[in-house]
Amino acid sequence: FFLRPRNGKWAKASVIHDRACQLASNKVLSYKTADTIFYYAMLEDEASKFTASFMYFWVRLNHLVDGKG
């Protein structure tokens, strides 16, 4: 997948998002919340606001297209 970090940068944010999506699939939280968590985790991993917003857009779009909202 072309948006996966290859050098480990933002790896923590990716792992956090994966776990949040597991929780969303179990209806513990929404996919929108999981994606928002990812955005803030990206910022914590020192991504620029542009990069965090760009990545957020794509994970949101993916969940919307998949009908997960």
Side-chain angles (χ1 to χ4, degrees), residues 40-54:
Y40 287 106
M42 288 284 295
L43 294 177
E44 284 294 315
D45 275 349
E46 300 181 357
S48 69
K49 285 187 179 183
F50 174 82
T51 300
S53 296
F54 179 81

Side-chain angles (χ1 to χ4, degrees), residues 2 4 6-8 11 25 27 33 40 44 48 53 56-57:
F2 80 98
R4 291 268 185 213
R6 294 185 183 172
N7 61 359
S25 71
K27 310 283 190 232
T33 299
Y40 287 106
E44 284 294 315
S48 69
S53 296
Y56 173 83
F57 170 80

Side-chain angles (χ1 to χ4, degrees), residues 1-60:
F1 183 65
F2 80 98
L3 294 177
R4 291 268 185 213
R6 294 185 183 172
N7 61 359
K9 195 170 187 180
W10 314 311
K12 289 183 208 173
S14 180
V15 170
I16 290 168
H17 184 249
D18 289 349
R19 178 63 180 136
C21 288
Q22 288 175 340
L23 294 171
S25 71
N26 291 325
K27 310 283 190 232
V28 175
L29 51 84
S30 69
Y31 281 95
K32 184 174 184 177
T33 299
D35 296 340
T36 301
I37 290 168
F38 176 64
Y39 171 78
Y40 287 106
M42 288 284 295
L43 294 177
E44 284 294 315
D45 275 349
E46 300 181 357
S48 69
K49 285 187 179 183
F50 174 82
T51 300
S53 296
F54 179 81
M55 298 293 280
Y56 173 83
F57 170 80
W58 286 107
V59 295
R60 280 302 303 140

